[in-house]
Amino acid sequence: MTQIRVRDAGMFLGVSDDTVRRWIEKGTLEAAADARGRTVIEGTEVARMARELAVTPELAGGARSSARNRFVGIVTNVVMDTVMAQVQLQCGPFRVVSLMSSEAARELGLEPGKIASAVIEAEPAAAPTGPSTPSTPEGAA
């Protein structure tokens, strides 16, 4: 099993080392000592806590959605010209930047301080694992 030190668990969970230690003291997280006597947490325990902390808040009055790639946050900046708008949201520890038409941004009333939801859509991607073209044997043309 993967063992994670308190400092690293805090980094993965987005909290301070002291918060992780308090959770251990309260029994919210289970910890043990490694061979060197350092406090460590099983990776599965950190993953469990990350799932608990990752609950997406509901957008008041918003439509229900099954999308798992939805982030609710607060609009922090809007840059708009006559055609396009760049909208920045702070969604927990994540900064989400969206490009949309200025018309859509105006219709949605997007401005700093407004609560908004971003749905991330992405095309499937593949990472190449070898040469992109077949190799040609020496002397062949």
Side-chain angles (χ1 to χ4, degrees), residues 38-60:
R38 298 175 296 197
T39 302
V40 292
I41 306 161
E42 291 294 333
T44 54
E45 182 73 358
V46 175
R48 178 194 61 78
M49 190 63 164
R51 283 190 305 274
E52 286 181 20
L53 295 173
V55 175
T56 302
E58 291 297 322
L59 187 59

Side-chain angles (χ1 to χ4, degrees), residues 108-127:
L108 292 169
L110 296 176
E111 60 186 28
K114 176 139 186 186
I115 305 298
S117 176
V119 177
I120 311 300
E121 295 180 10
E123 293 294 322

Side-chain angles (χ1 to χ4, degrees), residues 28-135:
T28 305
L29 280 174
E30 292 181 29
D34 68 5
R36 300 176 105 185
R38 298 175 296 197
T39 302
V40 292
I41 306 161
E42 291 294 333
T44 54
E45 182 73 358
V46 175
R48 178 194 61 78
M49 190 63 164
R51 283 190 305 274
E52 286 181 20
L53 295 173
V55 175
T56 302
E58 291 297 322
L59 187 59
R64 304 264 315 153
S65 172
S66 64
R68 294 176 187 227
N69 49 351
R70 183 175 63 90
F71 297 92
V72 176
I74 189 163
V75 176
T76 57
N77 192 30
V78 178
V79 178
M80 197 177 315
D81 64 17
T82 56
V83 178
M84 295 298 294
Q86 178 187 22
V87 180
Q88 295 181 31
L89 291 98
Q90 192 66 41
C91 304
F94 304 106
R95 178 176 160 257
V96 177
V97 179
S98 176
L99 299 176
M100 64 182 68
S101 70
S102 293
E103 179 182 8
R106 281 190 297 274
E107 286 178 7
L108 292 169
L110 296 176
E111 60 186 28
K114 176 139 186 186
I115 305 298
S117 176
V119 177
I120 311 300
E121 295 180 10
E123 293 294 322
T129 58
S132 60
T133 57
S135 58

Side-chain angles (χ1 to χ4, degrees), residues 5-25:
R5 295 186 58 191
V6 169
R7 171 190 42 151
D8 296 328
M11 179 187 64
F12 293 131
L13 296 171
V15 298
S16 70
D17 303 5
D18 289 336
T19 298
V20 173
R21 286 186 190 93
R22 280 192 295 274
W23 287 343
I24 292 168
E25 289 171 10

